Amino acid sequence: MEDIFSLCREGNAFHVRVWLDNPENDLNQGDHHGFSPLHWASREGRTNIVDMLILRGARINATNMGDDTALHLASSHGHREIMLMLLNNKADINAINEHGNTPLHYACFWGQDQVAEDLVANGSLVSLQNKYGETPLDKSRYPLAKRLQDKATQMGQELNKIPYKDQSWRGYKTRSRDATLSRYSGIDINQLNLQVRIASSHSGDLWRGTWQSNDIVARVLNIREVTQRISRDFAEEYPRLRVFSHPNVLPVLGCSNQPPNLVCISQYQPYGSLYNLLHESTSVVVDHAQALKFAVDLARGMAYLHTLEPLIPHYYLSSKHIMIDEDLTARVNMADAKFTFQERGKLYSPAWMAPEALQKKQDDINVRASDMWSFAILLWELATREVPFSDMSPMEIGMKIALEGLRITIPPGISPHMSKLVRICMNEDPGKRPNFDMILPILEKMKH
């Protein structure tokens, strides 16, 4: 089968769908020029493929090496339906590329009159200057320039020229991911440049470093003796953690299976974990709107993981196992899933775990319902900015949740909608807890 970029260029919808159905394929990867599958489909006018990519979680505002978004490409080539589709999915209408040009600049320059008028009708600024002092009106032929000027006036826009200003601070300059990050699975440990140990825990040491010029995090598993059987089990289990097909899931990029070292490699996330962001970091203010965005991200990621058969084994949802991407997207970290040969029966974050998960064997619990309880604790954590049961030891927490009915208390300051949702998700009867598809519309409505 051809590469995904050729399939999108040529409009081969069937093979694109087959490619997307493989969770190991990264739909947000870029080619050598940073063009993602969405960039190519938008450029070539492949409406059905654009729709498919958006539904699967393609990053709308990802940029190529020239800082063009998919909206730039659809606008410059006159693909009106795709342009509107991108706008309906929160494309940044005034995004600027490396020359300071917006999608409207391109539409005007290439004479895409209808697209240009639609862009202005949706809020594109006619007076925004690029790096060379040119506005979209300067790039338009007279009849179009007059129509755009009239339309902008009707929309309440000021016609005074707006000087070029770097917009990278807005957080939209997210590059399409380097394709090498998802191309290799077995990695020679000698190719890893591990520079700084950033954490050490019961499960292993976490190192920051580089691989193939990409910033990575390597988790070196803490295994007393890596036997031939453990090495074989590792080789069989880790491919299930290479889930590239959802933007709210952070995959394991690859592994190094070279006893005595077993290493899982992930992409470096500058903000670290959600736990770090909420309780230890001061670099980002998590207001109510951002907290709800994180909740929606997590619900989407978990809803996707719950569609996989069989489920990812031994993943325990908590804020420590959620990573925050460079554009403040929350992603479920697959590197934190435990392998079958790791510390059977030992649990280190019981505060987020459902009572039945602390009382029964893994095979005897409803994992989807248990995850929903953990998500309720996360909602509480996002709403209160507090660590659950922070005054107790993990062992004490686990014992009291399992045997003495210890539960979080919802303070009066939380909104009634959030407190109601937390209670619904924490139903003592696992069978009466909702699934993630059911609560997503509720969270979306709360967000808006």
Side-chain angles (χ1 to χ4, degrees):
M1 188 185 295
E2 296 178 88
D3 67 88
I4 185 60
F5 309 112
S6 298
L7 296 175
C8 290
R9 277 198 301 270
E10 295 162 8
N12 192 329
F14 173 76
H15 282 108
V16 169
R17 184 177 293 108
V18 171
W19 189 91
L20 289 172
D21 284 341
N22 182 348
E24 283 200 35
N25 289 331
D26 182 3
L27 82 167
N28 287 305
Q29 67 179 293
D31 62 14
H32 295 305
H33 297 286
F35 281 70
S36 68
L38 183 62
H39 278 100
W40 279 117
S42 299
R43 183 182 187 275
E44 299 301 324
R46 309 301 183 187
T47 308
N48 56 339
I49 293 178
V50 169
D51 185 48
M52 197 187 311
L53 290 167
I54 291 174
L55 286 173
R56 297 295 185 103
R59 288 190 160 179
I60 303 297
N61 291 306
T63 59
N64 62 15
M65 298 301 285
D67 281 344
D68 291 315
T69 65
L71 186 60
H72 280 93
L73 301 179
S75 300
S76 63
H77 289 81
H79 302 309
R80 182 174 180 237
E81 188 176 351
I82 290 175
M83 178 268 295
L84 294 172
M85 195 183 299
L86 292 168
L87 289 178
N88 287 336
N89 285 275
K90 300 183 175 59
D92 180 13
I93 199 168
N94 290 306
I96 58 173
N97 66 7
E98 64 180 354
H99 300 292
N101 290 320
T102 66
L104 183 58
H105 277 91
Y106 277 0
C108 292
F109 179 79
W110 293 107
Q112 308 294 355
D113 293 19
Q114 186 60 65
V115 168
E117 291 184 49
D118 286 337
L119 284 168
V120 174
N122 282 278
S124 189
L125 299 174
V126 301
S127 303
L128 201 61
Q129 293 179 316
N130 62 16
K131 282 186 176 180
Y132 314 106
E134 301 165 317
T135 69
L137 297 180
D138 296 329
K139 290 183 169 289
S140 307
R141 297 186 310 276
Y142 174 73
L144 175 60
K146 181 69 170 67
R147 291 200 303 275
L148 295 181
Q149 193 170 22
D150 292 344
K151 173 70 76 175
T153 303
Q154 291 173 18
M155 298 288 294
Q157 287 190 32
E158 294 285 342
L159 297 182
N160 297 327
K161 290 191 174 184
I162 305 168
Y164 165 78
K165 187 177 181 181
D166 178 38
Q167 295 183 4
S168 58
W169 60 272
R170 298 179 64 186
Y172 287 120
K173 291 295 173 67
T174 301
R175 286 265 187 267
S176 298
R177 286 197 281 273
D178 184 342
T180 60
L181 287 175
S182 53
R183 192 175 294 152
Y184 303 104
S185 54
I187 298 170
D188 184 349
I189 196 169
N190 294 318
Q191 293 180 356
L192 301 177
N193 179 17
L194 304 184
Q195 299 158 346
V196 181
R197 185 165 66 180
I198 54 180
S200 185
S201 68
H202 50 86
S203 62
D205 292 336
L206 206 60
W207 290 78
R208 182 179 175 184
T210 57
W211 170 66
Q212 300 272 9
S213 301
N214 292 290
D215 289 333
I216 55 106
V217 169
R219 183 181 297 278
V220 182
L221 301 187
N222 181 17
I223 307 295
R224 183 176 298 174
E225 181 186 1
V226 179
T227 63
Q228 189 173 359
R229 177 172 179 173
I230 286 177
S231 177
R232 184 196 66 201
D233 290 347
F234 180 68
E236 290 177 356
E237 292 176 32
Y238 97 87
R240 298 225 46 227
L241 307 179
R242 288 170 54 82
V243 183
F244 287 92
S245 52
H246 199 280
N248 299 117
V249 178
L250 183 66
V252 167
L253 301 175
C255 80
S256 178
N257 187 351
Q258 294 172 248
N261 295 308
L262 302 181
V263 186
C264 288
I265 295 112
S266 303
Q267 190 175 5
Y268 173 70
Q269 304 297 299
Y271 292 113
S273 69
L274 178 59
Y275 183 94
N276 175 69
L277 203 67
L278 290 175
H279 309 302
E280 297 174 0
S281 172
T282 56
S283 60
V284 176
V285 176
V286 182
D287 58 15
H288 181 68
Q290 184 62 58
L292 279 174
K293 181 184 178 299
F294 284 153
V296 170
D297 288 346
L298 297 181
R300 285 176 178 159
M302 292 304 298
Y304 176 76
L305 291 177
H306 281 185
T307 66
L308 302 179
E309 289 291 349
L311 292 173
I312 302 292
H314 309 299
Y315 176 79
Y316 302 102
L317 181 60
S318 83
S319 58
K320 297 176 181 179
H321 301 160
I322 302 298
M323 303 304 288
I324 306 301
D325 210 335
E326 58 192 353
D327 60 355
L328 291 181
T329 297
R331 306 178 71 190
V332 182
N333 188 17
M334 291 292 92
D336 284 328
K338 289 175 70 174
F339 292 90
T340 55
F341 51 81
Q342 277 185 292
E343 302 180 303
R344 292 189 180 98
K346 289 188 179 180
L347 304 170
Y348 292 93
S349 297
W352 286 266
M353 296 184 69
E356 68 274 12
L358 295 166
Q359 296 163 344
K360 302 177 182 178
K361 295 179 181 178
Q362 178 82 8
D363 294 340
D364 297 334
I365 66 171
N366 180 336
V367 174
R368 291 177 174 87
S370 174
D371 286 343
M372 183 53 66
W373 179 288
S374 301
F375 182 72
I377 303 294
L378 272 166
L379 288 178
W380 177 91
E381 192 178 358
L382 285 166
T384 63
R385 312 295 192 274
E386 295 179 12
V387 178
F389 315 118
S390 58
D391 57 339
M392 303 182 198
S393 69
M395 181 178 290
E396 189 179 4
I397 293 169
M399 293 290 287
K400 291 196 171 189
I401 290 176
L403 304 174
E404 298 179 21
L406 177 67
R407 303 291 183 263
I408 54 169
T409 56
I410 301 175
I414 295 181
S415 76
H417 299 297
M418 180 63 81
S419 58
K420 184 177 180 181
L421 184 58
V422 170
R423 289 190 181 95
I424 290 170
C425 297
M426 286 184 69
N427 196 304
E428 294 290 335
D429 182 349
K432 292 182 179 178
R433 293 173 203 156
N435 59 42
F436 285 99
D437 284 334
M438 292 166 65
I439 66 169
L440 259 171
I442 299 171
L443 287 167
E444 289 280 9
K445 193 170 182 180
M446 289 168 63
K447 192 174 80 167
H448 296 299

